[in-house]
């Protein structure tokens, strides 16, 4: 019996791959059918013949044929043999089969990410992060014990099920108490929705606030992933000026008179990336504008605990809960890998946010959230906060000394009152400096990733908290060498 199909499977089978041989045969046959090399009604070699051609056990081919028949790709024609199903449509594809591991392009339209890079260091090179904590400082044994307690308690209480998209009740209660006692927010658990970090909280806030075409005001230097979240909702981004006292509220008023502003995003405690704090008089003026023009304030308080000079200012949400959606995180205080943040707002807003959580995240992570609640309840979080606050204060001083030693007057900075990073400004051409830093293998966030306006002052945000004294010296020396030789 003629078999017009030219056998090419042997070129694709690789015993060294983790995929079983019979599955490789199935995949290869489906690719040939889908690409048009095998058309409907084509007879295949018998299982014995194909096994001999491929140098495999006949049972392997039989298993592949049986699976393809069950799926509907092939049909058994009795004594005539096995052929490609005649019910399959003719393929319009003319693509050659792709080699294993080859990159595949999409045949459909999709929304590509923005050309401008997000402000996230990547790669395996030495990383100059933007203010990450040192995960080595949190004892693994304490975290393990808290997880064990949370798992056992959830099992006893039958809470290993689907649950409230607003998050673990235990953690919501714990965070509400923490915010009320330590930051003065007038909240209960009903005001709290647990998120997968502060960025997730910002994204969720954008979902309930912003419609396509709405204007969102941001500072002309800001946190780029937040801007990307607003743009993904179709927002019109309005950048306004920033100075040593924070966002320019007169520029905010001007923008609000010209545009239908739905929200203002800002980081008033330690402005990202410059680290400056928003002055009290500007905070109050901004709240007046919020009431006047009806926009919401999204207050990202990503590292509230780390203030090294005077007492930190209260969050704006503490005295204006009706105007503010407050976003915070335990990532800087505990571990970034735990991915625990929270959004604080009036209960109807929290319910609206929870709806979007249910669409994208389902139910969160009860065990991790209960573990965090256990660490708050047993005092471990407060003990850890006191310990790392002292360590990071010392590292801030060390980092400043190393900057002065390595750069002298060739880099400018203002000692940050709080936060976990420095904002560095250079007299030299920053484009050239960044090119040399990249060429030297250092990973860092580009100065342009912070900019929403070409008029914004450029600089590099470099974290110090994740580096001990030896690592800080090495990182700064590498930065100096890469920048200036």
């Amino acid at each position: 019996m003629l078999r017009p199909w030219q056998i090419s499977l042997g070129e694709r089978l690789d015993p060294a791959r983790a995929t079983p041989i019979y599955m490789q045969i199935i995949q290869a046959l489906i690719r040939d059918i889908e690409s048009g090399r095998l058309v409907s009604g084509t007879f295949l070699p018998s299982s014995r013949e194909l096994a001999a051609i491929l140098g495999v056990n006949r049972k392997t081919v039989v298993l592949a044929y049986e699976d393809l028949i069950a799926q509907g790709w092939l049909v058994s024609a009795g004594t005539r043999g096995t052929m490609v199903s005649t019910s399959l449509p003719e393929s319009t594809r003319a693509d050659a089969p792709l080699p294993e591991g080859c990159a595949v392009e999409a045949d459909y339209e999709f929304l590509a990410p923005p050309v401008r890079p997000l402000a996230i260091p990547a790669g395996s090179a030495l990383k100059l992060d933007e203010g990450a904590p040192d995960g080595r400082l949190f004892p693994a044994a304490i975290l393990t014990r808290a997880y064990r307690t949370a798992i056992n308690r959830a099992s006893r209480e039958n809470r290993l099920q689907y649950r409230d998209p607003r998050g673990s009740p235990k953690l919501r209660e714990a965070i509400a108490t923490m915010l009320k006692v330590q930051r003065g927010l007038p909240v209960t658990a009903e005001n709290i929705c647990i998120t997968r970090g502060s960025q997730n909280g910002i994204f969720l806030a954008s979902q309930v606030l912003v419609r396509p075409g709405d204007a969102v005001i941001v500072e002309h230097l800001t946190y780029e992933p937040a801007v990307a979240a607003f743009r993904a909702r179709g927002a019109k981004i309005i950048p306004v000026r920033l100075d040593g006292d924070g966002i320019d509220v007169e520029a905010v008023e001007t923008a609000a008179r010209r545009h239908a502003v739905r929200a203002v995003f800002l980081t008033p405690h330690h402005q990202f990336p410059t680290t400056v704090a928003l002055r009290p008089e500007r905070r109050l003026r901004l709240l007046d504008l919020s009431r006047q023009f009806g926009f919401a304030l999204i207050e990202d308080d990503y590292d509230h605990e780390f203030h090294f000079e005077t007492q930190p200012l209260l969050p704006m949400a503490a005295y204006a809960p009706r105007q503010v959606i407050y976003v915070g995180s335990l990532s800087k205080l505990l571990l970034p890998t735990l991915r625990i943040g929270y959004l604080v707002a009036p209960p109807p807003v929290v319910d609206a946010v929870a709806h979007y959580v249910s669409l994208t995240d389902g139910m969160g992570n009860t065990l991790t959230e209960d573990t965090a609640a256990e660490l708050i309840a047993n005092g471990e979080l407060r003990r850890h906060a006191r310990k790392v606050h002292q360590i990071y204060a010392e590292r801030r001083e060390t980092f400043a000394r190393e900057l002065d030693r390595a750069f002298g007057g060739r880099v400018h900075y203002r000692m940050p009152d709080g936060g976990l990073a420095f904002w560095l400004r250079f007299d030299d051409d920053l484009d050239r400096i960044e090119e040399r830093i990249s060429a030297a293998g250092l990973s860092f966030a580009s100065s342009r990733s912070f900019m929403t306006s070409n008029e914004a002052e450029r600089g590099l945000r470099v974290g110090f908290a994740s580096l001990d004294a030896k690592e800080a010296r090495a990182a700064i020396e590498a930065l100096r060498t890469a920048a200036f030789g």
Side-chain angles (χ1 to χ4, degrees):
M1 187 176 293
L2 294 177
R3 299 287 190 268
W5 172 52
Q6 298 297 312
I7 305 295
S8 62
L9 295 183
E11 302 171 3
R12 307 180 198 172
L13 302 184
D14 182 3
R17 286 170 52 196
T19 306
I21 292 296
Y22 89 93
M23 185 60 70
Q24 294 185 43
I25 295 173
I26 290 172
Q27 293 169 347
L29 285 170
I30 291 175
R31 280 195 296 267
D32 277 359
I33 294 171
E34 205 275 334
S35 67
R37 289 192 73 245
L38 273 175
V39 298
S40 295
T42 301
F43 277 93
L44 302 182
S46 70
S47 58
R48 193 180 305 278
E49 290 172 331
L50 186 57
I53 292 170
L54 299 179
V56 300
N57 189 291
R58 178 172 174 258
K59 291 183 178 179
T60 302
V61 178
V62 170
L63 189 61
Y65 277 4
E66 289 177 345
D67 204 318
L68 287 166
I69 291 171
Q71 293 182 39
W73 294 98
L74 305 180
V75 294
S76 175
T79 58
R80 299 175 62 198
T82 303
M83 68 177 182
V84 179
S85 173
T86 56
S87 65
L88 296 176
E90 293 294 327
S91 174
T92 59
R93 290 175 60 92
D95 299 354
L98 291 172
E100 185 71 22
C102 179
V104 179
E105 296 293 332
D107 276 351
Y108 48 83
E109 292 186 5
F110 64 98
L111 300 177
V115 175
R116 180 191 295 175
L118 296 180
I120 302 174
S124 58
L126 174 61
K127 292 185 178 181
L128 305 173
D129 65 55
E130 300 166 71
D134 190 341
R136 298 167 296 187
L137 298 177
F138 196 91
I142 291 176
L143 184 62
T144 301
R145 187 161 59 247
Y147 258 108
R148 185 182 301 113
T149 299
I151 292 169
N152 290 335
R153 182 177 293 128
S155 179
R156 288 195 306 270
E157 298 173 0
N158 192 26
R159 290 190 297 104
L160 299 177
Q161 310 291 335
Y162 293 105
R163 58 93 206 256
D164 189 335
R166 292 176 297 176
S168 159
K170 292 182 179 295
L171 184 57
R172 292 169 63 212
E173 288 283 358
I175 288 178
T177 299
M178 178 185 74
L179 295 178
K180 186 159 37 179
V181 172
Q182 299 176 17
R183 305 186 195 178
L185 272 68
V187 294
T188 69
E190 297 304 306
N191 297 100
I192 309 292
C193 183
I194 304 302
T195 66
R196 307 280 77 76
S198 58
Q199 174 61 24
N200 181 230
I202 295 166
F203 178 82
L204 290 168
S206 75
Q207 298 297 299
V208 300
L209 288 177
V210 180
R211 295 165 298 200
D214 286 340
V216 175
I217 293 176
V218 300
E219 294 151 311
H220 65 185
L221 289 169
T222 192
Y223 181 55
E224 173 65 12
V227 178
F230 300 130
R231 284 204 170 106
R233 286 292 291 165
K236 179 179 181 180
I237 303 300
I238 310 295
V240 301
R241 294 184 300 275
L242 170 76
D243 60 28
D245 291 329
I247 192 170
D248 185 338
V249 290
E250 299 305 322
V252 171
E253 181 176 4
T254 299
R257 293 188 182 282
R258 294 176 178 174
H259 305 278
V261 176
R262 293 284 291 174
V264 174
F265 171 79
L266 69 166
T267 49
H269 191 49
H270 304 131
Q271 200 277 336
F272 189 98
T274 67
T275 78
V276 302
L278 183 62
R279 297 287 298 172
E281 61 271 20
R282 295 196 181 187
R283 294 178 181 227
L284 295 176
R285 178 63 181 139
L286 198 55
L287 290 169
D288 284 341
L289 294 174
S290 170
R291 298 183 188 98
Q292 179 181 350
F293 293 99
F295 56 74
L297 296 171
I298 304 175
E299 180 179 14
D300 180 12
D301 199 3
Y302 59 94
D303 60 0
H304 181 92
E305 292 80 10
F306 303 114
H307 204 79
F308 306 112
E309 298 297 337
T310 59
Q311 285 295 313
L313 292 169
L314 287 177
M316 298 170 69
Y319 44 89
R322 293 186 175 187
Q323 279 74 49
V324 178
I325 293 181
Y326 182 74
V327 177
S329 173
L330 297 182
S331 296
K332 297 290 191 297
L333 191 53
L334 281 170
L335 295 166
T337 52
L338 289 181
R339 306 311 310 135
I340 296 179
Y342 48 88
L343 180 148
V344 182
V349 179
V350 169
D351 290 343
V353 168
H355 166 69
Y356 284 97
V357 173
S358 70
L359 298 181
T360 58
D361 193 33
M363 59 173 285
N365 190 328
T366 295
L367 296 179
T368 297
E369 293 172 18
D370 280 1
T371 297
E374 173 66 19
L375 292 170
I376 295 174
N378 65 19
E380 292 292 352
L381 183 64
R382 291 299 299 161
R383 284 189 284 274
H384 178 69
R386 288 194 295 269
K387 179 182 76 172
V388 296
H389 189 281
Q390 181 178 350
I391 292 173
Y392 293 156
E394 294 172 355
R395 290 183 178 182
R396 182 186 69 135
E397 299 290 341
T398 298
F399 203 84
R401 288 195 300 271
E402 291 297 331
L403 284 172
D404 294 340
R405 178 195 60 80
F407 287 96
R410 303 187 71 178
V411 65
H412 306 285
Y413 68 89
R414 172 180 171 272
M415 177 72 87
D417 292 337
L420 304 180
F422 280 69
W423 177 243
L424 307 181
R425 292 166 292 110
F426 299 80
D427 291 331
D428 300 66
D429 180 3
L430 193 51
D431 284 325
R432 182 187 63 82
I433 290 174
E434 291 187 61
E435 287 177 6
R436 295 184 63 176
I437 294 172
S438 296
L442 295 176
S443 176
F444 64 101
S446 163
S447 63
R448 295 190 182 278
S449 68
F450 308 117
M451 299 169 62
T452 58
S453 165
N454 290 330
E455 289 73 41
E457 178 186 49
R458 292 175 63 188
L460 296 181
R461 182 177 167 98
V462 179
F464 63 85
S466 62
L467 306 171
D468 61 26
K470 181 178 179 181
E471 292 165 339
R473 175 179 284 264
I476 291 173
E477 188 59 34
L479 179 62
R480 187 200 66 80
T481 301
F484 302 117

